Amino acid sequence: MTQAAPPPGQNEFAHAVKAPASPWKRLFRIVRSTTYTFALVTLVLMFHKAAPPLVETSPQAAARAEEKIEQVEKAVASGQPATLRMDETELNSYLASHLALAENGAPNAASAGNAQNAPNGAAPTPQEVEQMRSNVRDFKVQLVDDRVKAYMVFDVHGKDMTLQLEGRLHAQNGYLRFEPLSGQFGSLPIPQSALESAVQRLMDSPENREKLKLPSEISDLRIENGEVVASYK
């Protein structure tokens, strides 16, 4: 029996089943959507300013730090060994009174016109770190057992960003060494491998190596029981 033809004007393929999308196309859409989402979350976390740690500072603590340093210098000048111990409050008070930081959101003179590369998810280059250093607007240090936690706020194209690093300090062959344990840009953790690679490049680069050279009088520098301990010959 012959099947009747469809009425005029009706698409003969109207009831045809639509062919399913290729598995590769579906996978591509999923990957693309995930990539966009990940990039958005990464940007939000990077530019989400982390809250500063609660550290105390005071003029009295800064004066104590100055006095301790003067006593050590006198001992070294007379040829006697000495040990300098500085707690968290003394260290932050001393740094606050001696560090020249950018104010009111403006880069300092050393960094004017030099902010070209914003930090990204990859390990920062020495040039990027030097730029961040010169744009630092706030710097705080926590001393926990044998570790140091550094908190920095720096300006990138008028936007405040934060960098947090945790690790151990020690002296090696007359140079300051830093062993990173963790770090993050804003609220975004830095992968450990990238962090270690960045710190290694910074410490081994010729332009930074001399900056990390300790005075010849210092035989050791470390964090011990929540204090900075410097041993002088």
Side-chain angles (χ1 to χ4, degrees):
M1 183 176 181
T2 305
Q3 186 175 0
Q10 180 176 342
N11 191 338
E12 61 181 304
F13 300 105
H15 301 289
V17 179
K18 192 173 183 179
S22 165
W24 291 107
K25 290 183 178 180
R26 292 202 303 271
L27 179 61
F28 173 76
R29 293 193 192 105
I30 293 173
V31 172
R32 183 177 58 184
S33 176
T34 303
T35 301
Y36 291 159
T37 303
F38 179 76
L40 178 61
V41 171
T42 298
L43 287 174
V44 170
L45 290 175
M46 282 179 58
F47 287 96
H48 182 269
K49 188 176 175 181
L54 298 177
V55 298
E56 296 182 3
T57 60
S58 70
Q60 294 79 11
R64 289 199 305 270
E66 294 278 7
E67 184 178 357
K68 288 181 177 181
I69 292 173
E70 289 178 3
Q71 291 175 350
V72 166
E73 289 177 346
K74 290 179 180 178
V76 173
S78 62
Q80 299 177 359
T83 300
L84 172 66
R85 291 182 178 270
M86 200 177 294
D87 63 28
E88 183 179 292
T89 302
E90 293 168 342
L91 177 60
N92 282 283
S93 300
Y94 181 83
L95 292 175
S97 63
H98 286 75
L99 288 179
L101 303 179
E103 297 179 356
N104 300 323
N108 57 27
S111 63
N114 194 35
Q116 299 296 327
N117 298 313
N120 48 49
T125 65
Q127 290 77 15
E128 289 172 334
V129 174
E130 178 63 21
Q131 173 192 321
M132 287 185 283
R133 183 201 63 78
S134 60
N135 284 341
V136 172
R137 297 183 56 200
D138 191 15
F139 183 74
K140 292 181 173 63
V141 176
Q142 289 179 294
L143 305 176
V144 183
D145 297 330
D146 64 342
R147 306 184 309 280
V148 58
K149 295 181 178 180
Y151 170 90
M152 288 166 278
V153 179
F154 53 93
D155 177 86
V156 177
H157 300 294
K159 176 69 175 179
D160 280 356
M161 295 188 67
T162 57
L163 172 65
Q164 299 177 85
L165 295 173
E166 179 178 358
R168 294 186 177 92
L169 288 175
H170 66 276
Q172 182 179 10
N173 299 325
Y175 289 87
L176 180 66
R177 306 297 295 181
F178 178 71
E179 176 189 344
L181 299 177
S182 65
Q184 61 184 63
F185 276 127
S187 299
L188 180 68
I190 303 174
Q192 186 65 23
S193 58
L195 180 61
E196 291 177 355
S197 175
V199 170
Q200 187 69 32
R201 290 205 312 269
L202 285 170
M203 292 196 164
D204 293 342
S205 64
E207 60 267 29
N208 287 320
R209 184 167 175 79
E210 288 308 308
K211 296 178 183 179
L212 297 172
K213 188 174 183 179
L214 296 171
S216 58
E217 299 86 3
I218 297 180
S219 59
D220 191 22
L221 180 67
R222 63 191 183 279
I223 309 298
E224 183 179 87
N225 298 325
E227 292 182 322
V228 175
V229 180
S231 299
Y232 290 74
K233 300 175 182 178

